[in-house]
């Protein structure tokens, strides 16, 4: 029931749907057009920046639907007392969060599919050669981002503050997570900092599934200097850590009423 | 009748337990006592009014009964349950109409009510409920297009969709025009006629006078009067203002009991054409009870 309500509420705002879906695609098209370059691998293979940006933009889209939208919607629903009404109804409390998770999963899947289609058709980007890696990185990344969104909705004292803070966070993260600028263009310390957050790991994991193996060895850094550690298990580790910590935070801080309610 | 039939039927004189019992309830915010030693009993099937000015502690009291706030001290029994330990299933038995919600409004009225009905064990039929709350014509309208009164009726529909045994109505008619208030009052009465117990807060005396079987008047977190309105009228309306015209011109005196003064006056003056004894109206008693200066 909550899922149906979430879908109705989301898809009945045509402009919200349009801009939400168009934004990552337009950004991808812009970056792929402007920075139309390539890296040359030792064996002569060319890696185009458009493929790099596809991974980065999917990661940014995951953060937007999972983290930013979830935080904004929950904060809004707390302030307008939707949550208070649900809390005193016989609705199982878990149904509310389940509804949010399903909405995010559907939105992320649709956005990823659209990005893949546009990248393939307009920019001739190769499709992921490691489909399984692509899928689990996307799924685990979405889970971590959504958990962070739920936790963030309760992190700040007012809903308005949470809404105001969520957008800058996603934009800033996009700059040093390989979504707007290839990470190899950044100073090394900033790359390490980027790898603290989930977005860089989602993008990195997706790059592993999209780019040739040589790219990871030649161009990418070993995050945190852990050069002995294979990159995919490390991605799984960091994303799982984010998921667990954020779930615990969300569970302990979630509020059904506005803090200052009369 | 046979002698072997089990004798388990309770005696008809036995009263059902009250719907709500509140005992010595206290709550402070930032050192200020908002609710100060309040005790209440609401019998099943009654409309109980909690009357008082804004900021008297009505909403805080109600929210503690609903389990939304934790009391500093005191105990609450709602339908035999502790409001701090209500599980989702228990919520079927309680209806809560808080001060107005303002949900994102892309759902229609029917979808919104159907959503909440889906969470209940034995909900109202959605169509019937919309008719009972006067929302039938608005069923297909988006919530954003509702007027204030319609919005409030939707709040009530969502609050009672579970067919609860006990309903809390917190200032339900604030912002209504007089006709809408009348309609709303009839809705509340019809709920009571279905056997629902209702706890109603209001700062309107006429609303409480029209609806409530019993009242507690609350001021600055304390109960200053309780009982039926006629009891309150009697216990707090004993004083009387006696006025007459004597040899020295018009006189006026307010006394707790007018009898001795009247005897004295009539003995001294055989003819007092404009002698008048006035008892305070219910409204005057209420205003006196809740005014700051009177305490």
């Amino acid at each position: 029931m909550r899922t149906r309500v979430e879908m109705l509420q989301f898809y009945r705002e045509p402009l919200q749907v349009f801009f939400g879906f168009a934004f990552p695609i337009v950004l991808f098209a812009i970056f792929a057009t402007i920075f139309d370059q390539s890296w040359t691998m030792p064996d002569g293979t060319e890696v185009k920046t458009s493929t790099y940006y596809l991974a980065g933009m999917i990661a940014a889209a995951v953060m937007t639907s999972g983290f930013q939208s979830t935080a904004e919607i929950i904060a809004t629903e707390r302030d307008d007392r939707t949550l208070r009404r649900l809390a005193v109804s016989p609705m199982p409390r878990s149904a509310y969060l389940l509804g949010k998770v399903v909405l995010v999963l559907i939105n992320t899947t649709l956005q990823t599919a659209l990005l893949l289609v546009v990248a393939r058709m307009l920019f001739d980007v190769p499709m992921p050669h490691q489909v399984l890696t692509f899928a689990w990185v996307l799924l685990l990344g979405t889970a971590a981002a959504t958990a962070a969104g739920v936790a963030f909705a309760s992190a700040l004292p007012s809903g308005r503050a949470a809404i105001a803070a969520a957008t800058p966070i996603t934009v800033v993260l996009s700059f040093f997570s390989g979504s707007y600028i290839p990470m190899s263009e950044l100073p090394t310390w900033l790359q390490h900092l980027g790898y603290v957050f989930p977005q860089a790991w989602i993008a990195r994991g997706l790059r592993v599934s999209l780019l040739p193996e040589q790219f990871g060895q030649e161009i990418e850094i070993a995050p945190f200097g852990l050069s002995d550690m294979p990159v995919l298990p490390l991605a799984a580790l960091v994303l799982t850590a984010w998921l667990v910590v954020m779930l615990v935070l969300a569970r302990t801080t979630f509020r059904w009423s506005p803090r200052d309610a009369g | 009748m046979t002698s072997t039939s089990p004798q388990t039927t309770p005696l008809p004189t036995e009263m059902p337990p009250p719907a709500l019992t509140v005992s010595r309830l206290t709550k402070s915010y930032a050192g200020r006592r908002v609710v100060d030693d309040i005790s209440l009993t609401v019998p099943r099937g009654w409309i109980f009014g909690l009357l008082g000015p804004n900021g008297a502690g009505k909403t805080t009291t109600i929210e503690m009964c609903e389990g939304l706030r934790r009391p500093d001290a005191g105990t609450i029994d709602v339908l035999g349950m502790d409001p701090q330990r209500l599980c989702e299933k228990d919520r079927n038995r309680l209806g809560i109409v808080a001060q107005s919600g303002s949900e994102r409004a892309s759902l229609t009225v029917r979808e919104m009510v159907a959503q909440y009905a889906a969470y209940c064990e034995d909900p109202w039929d959605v169509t019937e409920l919309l008719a009972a709350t006067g929302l039938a014509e608005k069923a297909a309208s988006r919530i954003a297009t509702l007027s204030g009164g319609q919005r409030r009726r939707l709040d009530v529909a969502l609050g009672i969709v579970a067919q609860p045994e006990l309903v809390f109505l917190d200032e339900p008619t604030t912002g209504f025009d007089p006709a809408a208030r009348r309609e709303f009052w009839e809705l509340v009465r019809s709920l009571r006629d279905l056997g629902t117990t209702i706890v109603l807060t209001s700062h309107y005396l006429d609303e409480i006078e029209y609806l409530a079987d019993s009242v507690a008047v609350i001021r600055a977190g304390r109960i200053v009067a309780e009982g039926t309105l006629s009891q309150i009228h009697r216990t707090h309306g004993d004083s009387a203002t006696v006025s007459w015209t004597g040899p020295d011109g018009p006189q006026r005196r307010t006394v707790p009991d007018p009898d001795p003064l009247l005897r004295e006056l009539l003995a001294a003056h055989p003819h007092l054409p404009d002698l008048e004894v006035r008892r305070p109206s219910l409204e005057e008693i209420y205003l006196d009870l809740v005014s700051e200066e009177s305490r």
Side-chain angles (χ1 to χ4, degrees):
Chain A
M1 191 67 208
R2 271 310 297 177
T3 304
R4 201 181 100 81
V5 169
E6 295 287 354
M7 298 293 290
L8 281 177
Q9 302 228 39
F10 185 82
Y11 287 97
R12 275 215 186 129
E13 302 289 341
L15 289 178
Q16 175 188 326
V17 175
F18 177 76
F19 285 110
F21 279 91
F23 185 62
I25 292 170
V26 170
L27 271 187
F28 169 71
I30 291 173
F31 287 134
T33 310
I34 298 176
F35 307 109
D36 184 13
Q37 293 150 355
S38 55
W39 289 273
T40 310
M41 297 295 104
D43 67 356
T45 334
E46 295 273 297
V47 172
K48 293 207 297 179
T49 35
S50 51
T51 317
Y52 192 100
Y53 277 120
L54 176 62
M57 215 45 71
I58 292 173
V62 166
M63 287 301 283
T64 309
S65 334
F67 170 75
Q68 187 188 330
S69 298
T70 305
E72 286 176 357
I73 294 173
I74 292 177
T76 308
E77 290 186 340
R78 180 181 297 121
D79 280 1
D80 74 15
R81 291 162 193 257
T82 302
L83 288 190
R84 188 188 188 282
R85 201 197 295 282
L86 287 169
V88 297
S89 82
M91 177 194 75
R93 305 247 166 153
S94 53
Y96 177 75
L97 291 178
L98 193 67
K100 295 276 179 272
V101 169
V102 174
L103 179 71
V104 171
L105 277 177
I106 291 172
N107 284 351
T108 316
T109 311
L110 282 177
Q111 271 184 343
T112 305
L114 277 174
L115 276 166
L116 283 173
V117 168
V118 170
R120 178 92 200 110
M121 312 274 279
L122 300 183
F123 297 91
D124 202 25
V125 171
M127 290 296 97
H129 51 82
Q130 296 185 22
V131 180
L132 222 61
T133 307
F134 185 89
W136 77 249
V137 169
L138 195 63
L139 199 69
L140 185 58
T142 305
T146 311
V150 178
F152 193 73
S154 311
L156 298 182
S158 86
R160 281 182 197 194
I163 293 165
T167 310
I169 289 177
T170 43
V171 172
V172 170
L173 276 182
S174 292
F175 274 103
F176 56 84
S177 298
S179 295
Y180 294 172
I181 306 165
M183 289 192 89
S184 52
E185 307 287 311
L186 303 173
T188 318
W189 68 268
L190 196 53
Q191 296 188 48
H192 288 307
L193 180 65
Y195 282 115
V196 172
F197 300 98
Q199 187 169 344
W201 283 106
I202 302 170
R204 178 75 181 258
L206 294 177
R207 286 201 295 276
V208 172
S209 75
L210 280 160
L211 299 175
E213 202 182 338
Q214 288 178 333
F215 186 86
Q217 292 153 1
E218 299 297 320
I219 309 292
E220 309 259 36
I221 62 159
F224 317 137
L226 298 170
S227 44
D228 298 339
M229 185 92 179
V231 75
L232 283 178
L234 198 55
L237 196 70
V238 176
L239 288 175
T240 308
W242 270 91
L243 174 63
V244 170
V245 170
M246 287 299 135
L247 277 180
V248 170
L249 260 183
R251 195 170 165 78
T252 48
T253 63
F254 198 83
R255 298 191 306 274
W256 294 86
S257 284
R259 188 165 278 181
D260 53 275
Chain B
M1 224 205 271
T2 65
S3 57
T4 54
S5 72
Q7 301 290 305
T8 51
T9 336
L11 295 171
T13 50
E14 200 173 295
M15 289 280 287
L20 173 69
T21 311
V22 168
S23 152
R24 314 216 61 178
L25 198 63
T26 300
K27 178 83 182 172
S28 303
Y29 295 128
R32 200 171 67 88
R33 282 215 163 174
V34 185
V35 172
D36 190 1
D37 199 17
I38 281 186
S39 299
L40 297 169
T41 303
V42 180
R44 275 185 199 252
W46 286 38
I47 299 182
F48 184 86
L50 204 52
L51 179 66
N54 289 327
K58 304 188 295 293
T59 298
T60 306
T61 305
I62 290 280
E63 288 187 340
M64 286 190 282
C65 296
E66 294 165 352
L68 285 170
R69 287 176 195 281
R70 189 178 288 279
D72 294 343
T75 56
I76 303 171
D77 178 302
V78 264
L79 304 170
M81 306 180 288
D82 173 355
Q84 286 296 324
R85 292 165 200 272
L86 293 177
C87 69
E88 285 131 9
K89 205 165 165 309
D90 298 335
R91 293 271 176 205
N92 282 294
R93 302 176 63 199
L94 283 185
I96 292 177
V97 180
Q99 291 179 27
S100 195
S102 52
E103 278 95 340
R104 281 190 303 151
S106 49
L107 295 184
T108 67
V109 170
R110 173 181 284 279
E111 285 164 348
M112 187 75 170
V113 175
Q115 180 204 169
Y116 280 83
Y119 304 139
C120 306
E121 278 179 342
D122 179 24
W124 276 70
D125 175 74
V126 173
T127 308
E128 253 174 56
L129 179 58
L130 291 175
T133 47
L135 287 167
E137 292 151 44
K138 285 280 163 187
S141 306
R142 295 233 187 148
I143 294 166
T145 64
L146 298 183
S147 71
Q150 290 162 342
R151 176 77 241 201
R152 206 73 189 101
R153 272 180 276 165
L154 175 63
D155 288 334
V156 175
L158 297 176
I160 65 174
V161 64
Q163 305 211 51
E165 295 162 48
L166 170 62
V167 175
F168 292 98
L169 292 174
D170 199 0
E171 302 195 351
T173 63
T174 304
F176 278 31
D177 64 44
R181 287 181 84 203
R182 279 278 158 182
E183 272 177 44
F184 189 85
W185 290 353
E186 294 314 320
L187 171 62
V188 174
R189 281 200 160 174
S190 65
L191 278 180
R192 195 249 326 255
D193 295 342
L194 292 171
T196 313
T197 309
I198 292 159
V199 176
L200 168 78
T201 78
S202 184
H203 51 252
Y204 298 122
L205 183 66
D206 58 344
E207 183 159 287
I208 296 290
E209 194 172 11
Y210 188 81
L211 288 175
D213 301 306
S214 180
V215 183
V217 180
I218 175 170
R219 190 190 74 86
R222 287 180 160 272
I223 292 177
V224 290
E226 62 183 313
T228 63
L229 280 173
S230 60
Q231 279 169 351
I232 290 176
H233 202 164
R234 252 181 279 130
T235 41
H236 295 267
D238 274 348
S239 72
T241 303
V242 183
S243 59
W244 72 96
T245 307
D248 311 325
Q251 305 279 317
R252 187 187 172 85
R253 231 183 284 170
T254 301
V255 288
D257 176 7
D259 286 9
L261 176 64
L262 288 172
R263 279 179 218 290
E264 190 190 312
L265 280 171
L266 287 167
H269 309 279
H271 186 60
L272 279 172
D274 54 356
L275 175 67
E276 192 183 296
V277 182
R278 232 183 115 258
R279 294 202 181 257
S281 72
L282 190 58
E283 186 159 13
E284 285 168 320
I285 293 169
Y286 168 62
L287 290 173
D288 187 52
L289 281 171
V290 299
S291 71
E292 295 294 326
E293 306 89 67
S294 68
R295 302 288 120 182

